[in-house]
């Protein structure tokens, strides 16, 4: 019985670490893609775009799965990080309402959560101002 309990803890830790890595990869690839989109001669194959979409969707799905455990687990740092990851991914995807929603949830995680939310919201503000001057 004890081994089953320890196994679940270990599986949870692996899943969290895997999701952190997926979010980092998705964010990195999205930023690179968005920068390349600014270049006049940028082209991406359907296959490469599908691969990028898969990486991003997997990260969002797995981060959301972890966040769905908020009432069941006492992982405030993990939940804060996942909300931050989602806010940053949504920012890169230009899904501004979802950015604001994730940042609103971040506010519930103390000073660190508020600072993370402020940072993402500042980036959103700069992005929106850049879009309105274009």
């Amino acid at each position: 019985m004890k081994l089953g309990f320890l196994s679940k803890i270990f599986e949870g830790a692996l899943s969290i670490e895997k999701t952190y890595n997926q979010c980092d990869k998705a964010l990195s690839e999205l930023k690179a893609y968005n920068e390349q989109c600014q270049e006049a001669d940028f082209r991406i194959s359907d296959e490469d775009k599908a691969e990028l979409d898969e990486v991003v969707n997997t990260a969002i799905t797995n981060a959301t799965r972890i966040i769905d455990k908020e009432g069941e687990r006492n992982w405030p740092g993990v939940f804060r990080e996942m909300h931050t990851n989602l806010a940053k991914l949504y920012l890169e995807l230009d899904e501004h309402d979802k950015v604001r929603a994730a940042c609103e949830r971040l506010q519930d995680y103390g000073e660190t959560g508020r600072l993370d939310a402020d940072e993402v919201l500042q980036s959103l503000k700069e992005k929106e101002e850049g879009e309105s001057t274009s």
Side-chain angles (χ1 to χ4, degrees):
M1 183 136 180
K2 286 184 182 181
L3 290 178
F5 174 73
L6 291 174
S7 175
K8 284 189 177 198
I9 290 175
F10 188 66
E11 277 180 30
L14 286 177
S15 176
I16 291 167
E17 185 65 29
K18 182 178 178 182
T19 302
Y20 279 135
N21 291 336
Q22 290 168 335
C23 288
D24 288 343
K25 179 180 180 182
L27 191 56
S28 175
E29 289 186 19
L30 261 178
K31 283 182 178 183
Y33 171 78
N34 287 338
E35 287 174 11
Q36 291 172 342
C37 283
Q38 302 301 316
E39 298 171 10
D41 61 343
F42 174 70
R43 289 208 166 108
I44 187 169
S45 70
D46 290 342
E47 184 179 301
D48 287 344
K49 180 65 169 101
E51 189 176 312
L52 173 62
D53 290 345
E54 177 67 25
V55 168
V56 172
N57 291 333
T58 298
I60 290 172
T61 299
N62 289 337
T64 302
R65 274 193 196 131
I66 290 173
I67 287 171
D68 288 345
K69 296 185 183 304
E70 276 181 301
E72 303 168 22
R73 304 284 185 180
N74 186 21
W75 299 336
V78 171
F79 297 137
R80 180 184 51 78
E81 285 291 325
M82 291 303 157
H83 285 297
T84 302
N85 286 332
L86 286 173
K88 289 178 178 180
L89 286 167
Y90 292 139
L91 180 66
E92 291 298 320
L93 291 168
D94 286 327
E95 295 184 19
H96 298 185
D97 290 340
K98 290 182 179 181
V99 172
R100 288 183 188 90
C103 287
E104 191 172 305
R105 296 289 304 274
L106 270 169
Q107 305 280 338
D108 297 335
Y109 290 94
E111 184 64 22
T112 305
R114 282 188 292 282
L115 291 172
D116 289 347
D118 289 346
E119 179 183 324
V120 174
L121 290 171
Q122 180 61 38
S123 296
L124 176 61
K125 180 180 175 184
E126 291 169 6
K127 190 171 198 173
E128 289 176 332
E129 288 171 356
E131 290 172 359
S132 67
T133 60
S134 300

